[in-house]
Structures are given as structure tokens and as C-alpha cells.
């Protein structure tokens, strides 16, 4: 069999997996099927055995700092791993790559993982780096008090996402109903929301760091830190395929150890963490980096990133609004913390903070 025929079979198999995933998952939308198919057709050679491992991420925010730090500090290599980091423009594309076998690990929201699993993909979360929605409700000058939101519009990335969920939580927190009392407007990427605020297309938006700082500099203000409400939510986790963990258990364990070491490093070494964030966020803005660090690392980064049923139950409730198959799902089917428990019980995590 020629190399080209092997590549074709890999691409075809990947395409079939992706078709099954998108067709079963109304949460992510049939409109994205074309993107997934194009990705599958672009697979050929890289999917063959022998290449370096790949870890993907879609969020360009301070929440991804441990992944970047694991590479920059040489932690992956210390643990015997040769990792390429792959940035995706959206979580849906990252998940398509995972289903296609193009990446082994993915830093992604629990909603994307759960939606894919409900659609038939064999993916799960093995660690939950953030168990809250690390976003804020940012408003324009016309919004001085919560009641001023009534009849106005809040910008979100798109319906059915964690940003959508955050907006609904904020609206309900102020005693109003989403859609009925406050409109939700899809504006695309979180960074695009600032332009929509500037152009008065929307009067408020759900933003994350460091975009919050850019908005603040343009005269907008943070009305509500949604994470401070304490609502459990599987916001940012480490996702992989079950078959990979079964076949490459030691590799998976080494990857998890690397992330845990990186979490400890960035928590204990702010100058290093800020330098890493600056490199990947492509900025030397000290105020922006310091504030992003204080929020994403000091305040909300978990030393022990255990996934919980409560965090995934919130995800299921979110998905059930657009995907009937999500109703009644057991949240425990979407995560497996056995390797994390193994490392924790061995004293590995405690040793990182001595």
C-alpha cells in the first residue's frame, strides 16, 4: 500500500468520525460541518505514526498560561515529551482535529467536550483547570445600574457557548430574563465585542482578560465579575480521547504531570509567568499582563484541577437548551480524574509547593 493510499484512508476515516460528530451535535451547528470536512481532507501525512505529539488550544487568554509555561520552561521535555502546541481559531476546530486524531490533547471548554461526547465522540476531560466562567459583564456609559440593562443588548460570541451561558447567568443574577428583558447579540470572537461596544451595536458584553482591560481603556467598565458568583462550570479543561489514554497511559500521565508542574511554576514565579503570557499574547503591556496574571493565575487557577459533577451539570443544563440529547445525561460520563487522583495520592502535587 502506498503512502498516498494510507493518507487517503486516514482522511476518509477521520471524515466519517467528524460527520457523525457534527450531525449528532445540534449544539455546535450544522453550519460548521463544512469546516470539519475541510479539516479532515487536509489531514494526510501528519496523522501517521511517528510524528511529535500535539496539544491544541483555542483561547488566547491568561487561562492557557500553564500550557505555554510547560513548553517554555522545558517541563514537557523533562518528562520525556516532545510536544507541538497548536493554536486553533475556535474550539470547534480544535475538537474536529481531536476527533480526526490530529492532536492528542486539547485545552477546551467542558461544553465543547460534552457536546462532542453526546454526539458520539470518545472524548473526555481528565483535569479541569478552571471550574468557573472566568468572564465579566462589561457595560457602556449608558448602563449605570443593573436596571438600565432592561431593553438593551449584551454581546456574546454565539448562542450555545459558555459566553452565552455567562450572559444568561448575569442577567438572571439581576432578576431579569434573557431574551425577554435583555437581548443577546452574536458578535463573534470576544475581541470583536469591544468594536461592537464602540459602535453602539450593543450596550454591554461578556468579556475575558485581557480584553476586559482594552475595553476599560476605552471608557467601558466592569459591572460584574461572573466568576465571583461561584457558579460551578467546566470552563477550561484538558480533553483527550479515551482510546489514547488506554493505549498511551504513561504518556498521558507524563502530560498531566507536566501541566501540574507548570501550574505550580506560574503560581510561584510571577515574573516568568508574565514573560510567557507576554510572548503568546504578543504584548509587552505591563499593566495588561499584571492584571491578567492576578485574575487568571492568582485568583482562579486551581492547584488541584479536579473535574466535578457540579461543574459538568452546569454544562449539561446549557447544552440541553439546544440539544435534547443532553437532557438527563450523567455528568460523570464526561470526565475521568483517575490519573489526577493517582498523582495526588502519591504526594506529587504536595511536593510541587514545598
Amino acid at each position: 500500500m502506498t503512502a498516498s493510499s494510507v493518507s487517503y484512508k486516514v482522511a476518509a476515516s477521520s471524515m466519517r468520525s467528524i460527520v457523525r460528530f457534527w450531525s449528532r451535535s445540534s449544539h455546535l451547528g450544522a453550519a460548521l460541518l463544512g469546516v470539519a470536512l475541510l479539516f479532515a481532507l487536509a489531514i494526510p501525512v501528519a496523522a501517521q505514526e511517528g510524528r511529535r505529539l500535539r496539544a491544541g488550544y483555542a483561547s488566547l487568554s491568561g487561562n492557557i498560561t500553564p500550557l505555554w509555561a510547560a513548553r517554555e520552561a522545558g517541563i514537557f521535555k523533562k518528562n520525556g515529551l516532545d510536544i507541538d502546541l497548536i493554536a486553533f481559531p475556535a474550539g470547534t476546530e480544535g475538537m474536529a482535529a481531536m476527533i480526526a486524531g490530529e492532536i492528542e490533547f486539547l485545552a477546551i471548554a467542558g461544553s465543547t467536550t460534552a457536546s462532542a461526547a453526546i454526539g458520539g465522540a470518545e472524548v473526555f476531560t481528565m483535569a479541569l483547570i478552571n471550574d468557573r466562567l472566568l468572564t465579566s459583564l462589561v457595560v457602556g456609559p449608558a448602563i449605570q445600574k443593573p436596571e438600565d440593562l432592561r431593553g438593551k443588548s449584551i454581546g456574546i460570541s454565539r448562542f450555545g457557548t459558555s459566553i452565552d451561558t455567562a450572559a444568561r447567568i448575569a442577567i438572571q443574577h439581576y432578576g431579569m430574563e434573557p431574551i425577554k428583558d435583555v437581548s443577546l447579540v452574536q458578535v463573534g470572537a470576544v475581541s470583536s465585542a469591544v468594536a461592537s461596544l464602540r459602535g453602539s451595536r450593543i450596550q454591554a458584553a461578556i468579556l475575558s482578560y485581557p480584553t476586559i482591560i482594552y475595553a476599560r481603556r476605552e471608557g467601558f467598565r466592569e459591572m460584574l465579575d461572573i466568576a465571583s458568583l461561584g457558579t460551578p462550570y467546566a470552563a477550561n479543561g484538558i480533553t483527550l480521547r479515551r482510546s489514547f489514554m488506554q493505549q498511551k497511559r504513561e504518556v498521558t500521565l507524563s502530560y498531566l504531570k507536566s501541566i501540574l508542574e507548570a501550574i505550580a511554576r506560574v503560581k510561584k514565579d510571577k515574573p516568568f509567568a508574565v514573560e510567557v503570557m507576554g510572548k503568546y499574547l504578543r504584548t509587552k503591556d505591563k499593566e495588561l499582563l499584571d492584571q491578567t496574571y492576578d485574575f487568571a493565575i492568582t485568583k482562579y487557577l486551581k492547584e488541584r484541577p479536579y473535574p466535578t459533577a457540579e461543574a459538568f451539570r452546569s454544562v449539561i443544563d446549557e447544552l440541553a437548551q439546544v440539544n435534547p440529547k443532553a437532557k438527563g445525561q450523567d455528568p460523570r460520563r464526561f470526565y475521568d480524574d483517575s490519573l489526577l487522583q493517582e498523582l495526588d495520592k502519591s504526594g506529587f502535587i504536595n511536593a510541587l509547593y514545598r
Side-chain angles (χ1 to χ4, degrees):
M1 185 179 293
T2 65
S4 59
S5 63
V6 171
S7 299
Y8 174 82
K9 284 196 171 184
V10 171
S13 175
S14 300
M15 186 189 298
R16 286 193 294 272
S17 297
I18 293 172
V19 168
R20 286 195 297 270
F21 165 48
W22 292 119
S23 63
R24 295 177 187 174
S25 179
S26 60
H27 165 58
L28 292 170
L32 292 172
L33 177 59
V35 175
L37 291 176
L38 286 174
F39 186 89
L41 289 172
I43 289 168
V45 179
Q48 298 177 45
E49 288 293 327
R51 65 161 167 76
R52 298 163 68 179
L53 295 174
R54 292 179 175 180
Y57 63 95
S59 172
L60 198 62
S61 68
N63 308 332
I64 306 299
T65 303
L67 177 60
W68 299 331
R71 178 178 182 176
E72 297 300 315
I75 296 173
F76 283 138
K77 288 188 176 181
K78 180 177 76 70
N79 287 312
L81 300 176
D82 192 3
I83 302 282
D84 279 334
L85 298 187
I86 310 295
F88 292 94
T92 50
E93 294 186 17
M95 185 55 70
M98 170 148 284
I99 293 170
E102 273 293 279
I103 59 175
E104 284 68 43
F105 304 99
L106 181 62
I108 198 72
S111 57
T112 307
T113 301
S115 183
I118 291 170
E122 50 142 8
V123 294
F124 73 100
T125 295
M126 73 169 170
L128 192 60
I129 307 300
N130 303 116
D131 60 358
R132 299 184 187 185
L133 287 163
L134 302 189
T135 53
S136 291
L137 175 65
V138 174
V139 300
I143 310 297
Q144 293 299 313
K145 56 185 185 299
E147 182 61 27
D148 293 337
L149 285 167
R150 193 178 297 276
K152 302 298 192 303
S153 298
I154 295 180
I156 62 172
S157 54
R158 68 175 183 274
F159 294 121
T161 64
S162 59
I163 298 296
D164 179 16
T165 297
R168 294 171 189 272
I169 289 173
I171 293 168
Q172 291 167 350
H173 173 71
Y174 289 128
M176 291 177 274
E177 293 184 32
I179 309 300
K180 178 182 177 182
D181 297 320
V182 184
S183 299
L184 298 177
V185 177
Q186 300 180 103
V187 297
V190 173
S191 56
S192 302
V194 177
S196 295
L197 281 169
R198 191 188 307 122
S200 299
R201 180 187 173 196
I202 54 177
Q203 292 74 50
I206 302 299
L207 303 179
S208 58
Y209 278 86
T211 309
I212 290 171
I213 300 171
Y214 292 125
R216 194 181 295 152
R217 288 174 179 175
E218 293 197 31
F220 305 106
R221 69 182 181 87
E222 188 177 6
M223 175 176 274
L224 177 65
D225 172 4
I226 295 168
S228 70
L229 300 178
T231 304
Y233 187 87
N236 177 30
I238 302 172
T239 291
L240 64 156
R241 299 184 304 281
R242 291 189 183 278
S243 60
F244 183 84
M245 186 176 81
Q246 293 165 358
Q247 297 166 12
K248 306 278 187 177
R249 188 180 185 280
E250 290 306 312
V251 171
T252 304
L253 193 64
S254 294
Y255 187 85
L256 181 57
K257 288 172 65 176
S258 298
I259 296 298
L260 293 172
E261 287 184 51
I263 289 173
R265 174 67 186 273
V266 299
K267 276 188 166 291
K268 296 191 295 184
D269 190 348
K270 180 176 179 179
F272 167 73
V274 167
E275 180 183 354
V276 170
M277 279 194 293
K279 175 179 178 179
Y280 284 84
L281 295 176
R282 297 183 180 180
T283 181
K284 294 183 179 179
D285 188 320
K286 187 176 187 305
E287 178 192 21
L288 183 149
L289 293 171
D290 282 343
Q291 290 188 32
T292 300
Y293 178 90
D294 292 342
F295 182 85
I297 307 299
T298 303
K299 197 171 183 179
Y300 289 118
L301 180 61
K302 298 170 61 179
E303 294 180 3
R304 285 173 166 77
Y306 278 103
T308 65
E310 291 74 22
F312 273 93
R313 189 169 288 113
S314 295
V315 164
I316 293 169
D317 290 343
E318 168 194 304
L319 294 176
Q321 297 178 40
V322 292
N323 185 355
K325 291 184 179 180
K327 295 179 181 178
Q329 291 279 344
D330 181 355
R332 292 175 179 80
R333 70 166 284 202
F334 304 115
Y335 67 88
D336 181 346
D337 63 1
S338 59
L339 292 185
L340 182 57
Q341 287 192 47
E342 179 182 321
L343 290 174
D344 198 0
K345 290 176 181 177
S346 73
F348 178 81
I349 298 178
N350 283 338
L352 296 175
Y353 294 91
R354 287 175 188 155

